[in-house]
């Protein structure tokens, strides 16, 4: 079971601004809800050598990689080739994928190129695609999905049994204080509670100027750290205007 997950988005069209990346916003909250930590995210070009080099390095840093994009029938769809190289196996025509594609012919499609979507690394497990006969696949700690957001969203639940962990507790404070006013308080809180992560995020519009987020494995500790920060913030003349609690799996 994986606790640290990396996400890799494949495609020149994303890097060149030709489409707006929309899959991260769907995947990261779900991974957090399932208890996994998203440890890295990357957007890579349609270049096999570049993708292979990065995948090999990323696999040293995380337990599980999610890849999206690059598994269609055109020459720029190089993800399956890169993943096969990293896994050290050849590409094969998967009989189930081939049968599914043949059972749902597409008018005007070129069968030779369409059948490329049945090619997967040898030994891979297919990931069902309820919207298309073209599947995703999983091999050697790498789960590969289409880049089309509606397909990714329809398929992504497949990942849930593959990951494990504890949802962190979170306390979020909203205030009108400038960040520089509490930087020292934040540093002191981080020293006093090394097991609690703290992030400060200024907001340029809306009701609140900043939000400070406290994250930890135990709600008791997370809550105590936020309370300490709140107390010292009040002492320098700034009140917390709103407080939001999210209890993790320890609660």
């Amino acid at each position: 079971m994986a606790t640290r997950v990396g996400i890799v988005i494949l495609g020149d069209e994303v890097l060149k601004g030709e489409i707006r990346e929309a899959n991260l916003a769907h995947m990261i909250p779900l991974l957090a809800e399932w208890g996994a930590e998203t440890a890295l995210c990357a957007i890579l070009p349609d270049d096999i050598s570049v993708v292979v080099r990065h995948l090999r390095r990323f696999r040293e840093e995380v337990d599980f990689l999610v890849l999206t994009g690059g598994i269609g029938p055109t020459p720029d769809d190089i993800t399956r080739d890169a993943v096969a190289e990293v896994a050290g196996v050849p590409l094969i025509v998967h009989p189930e994928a081939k049968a599914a594609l043949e059972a749902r012919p597409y008018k005007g499609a070129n069968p030779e190129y369409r059948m490329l979507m049945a090619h997967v690394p040898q030994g891979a497990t297919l990931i069902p695609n309820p919207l298309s006969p073209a599947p995703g696949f999983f091999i050697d700690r790498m789960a590969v999905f289409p880049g089309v957001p509606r397909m990714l969203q329809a398929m992504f639940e497949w990942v849930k049994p593959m990951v494990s962990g504890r949802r962190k507790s979170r306390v979020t404070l909203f205030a009108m204080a400038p960040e520089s006013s509490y930087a020292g308080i934040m540093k002191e809180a981080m020293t006093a509670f090394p097991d609690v992560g703290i992030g400060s995020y200024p907001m340029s519009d809306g009701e609140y100027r900043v939000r400070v987020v406290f994250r930890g494995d135990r709600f008791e500790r997370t809550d105590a750290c936020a309370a300490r920060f709140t107390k010292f913030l009040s002492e320098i003349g700034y009140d917390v205007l709103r407080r939001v609690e999210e209890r993790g799996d320890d609660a």
Side-chain angles (χ1 to χ4, degrees):
M1 298 286 281
T3 57
R4 287 172 55 83
V5 177
I7 299 175
V8 180
I9 309 296
L10 277 297
D12 286 345
E13 67 274 23
V14 180
L15 287 173
K16 298 182 186 304
E18 294 164 356
I19 67 167
R20 178 169 294 182
E21 203 294 310
N23 288 326
L24 287 175
H26 179 78
M27 292 185 284
I28 292 176
L30 283 176
L31 289 169
E33 180 182 325
W34 300 336
E37 174 192 356
T38 301
L40 65 86
C41 295
I43 302 175
L44 300 180
D46 298 321
D47 183 314
I48 292 178
S49 64
V50 172
V51 174
V52 168
R53 183 172 72 250
H54 283 82
L55 290 184
R56 284 174 173 159
R57 189 176 83 248
F58 294 160
R59 278 159 44 87
E60 296 176 356
E61 301 177 21
V62 299
D63 308 313
F64 188 88
L65 279 174
V66 174
L67 294 84
T68 73
I71 56 173
T74 56
D76 60 337
D77 290 312
I78 54 85
T79 302
R80 60 175 64 86
D81 301 86
V83 169
E85 185 171 339
V86 172
V89 297
L91 288 173
I92 63 161
V93 177
H94 196 290
E96 290 181 33
K98 180 175 183 290
L101 286 163
E102 289 175 339
R104 292 175 60 181
Y106 190 83
K107 184 178 180 180
N110 183 315
E112 177 185 354
Y113 289 103
R114 187 168 186 258
M115 202 52 60
L116 289 175
M117 294 187 289
H119 287 68
V120 300
Q122 187 176 53
T125 299
L126 297 186
I127 300 176
N129 183 343
L131 302 182
S132 165
F137 58 87
F138 169 76
I139 186 169
D140 206 9
R141 298 190 289 126
M142 295 175 283
V144 185
F145 295 88
V148 179
R150 65 188 185 91
M151 290 188 183
L152 179 280
Q153 292 171 19
M155 300 168 67
F156 196 64
E157 279 287 318
W158 185 91
V159 170
K160 186 175 182 180
M162 307 294 291
V163 300
S164 66
R166 293 160 57 91
R167 287 184 300 115
K168 290 185 178 293
S169 291
R170 192 186 339 247
V171 175
T172 304
L173 305 180
F174 297 86
M176 292 295 291
E179 284 192 296
S180 60
S181 69
Y182 59 77
I185 296 172
M186 182 173 167
K187 183 177 181 180
E188 190 278 338
M190 293 170 75
T191 301
F193 292 82
D195 54 326
V196 177
I198 310 176
S200 174
Y201 309 103
M203 304 171 69
S204 59
D205 56 9
E207 182 182 357
Y208 305 108
R209 185 168 181 177
V210 293
R211 62 188 175 97
V212 184
V213 182
F214 302 78
R215 312 175 188 91
D217 291 329
R218 295 168 51 204
F219 178 76
E220 178 186 359
R221 293 282 293 171
T222 308
D223 179 57
C225 184
R228 185 186 187 102
F229 181 92
T230 300
K231 176 179 179 294
F232 290 148
L233 188 67
S234 178
E235 289 177 358
I236 63 170
Y238 295 100
D239 293 326
V240 168
L241 303 179
R242 185 158 68 98
R243 185 180 193 276
V244 178
E245 296 180 359
E246 300 170 64
R247 293 176 179 258
D249 290 333
D250 68 309

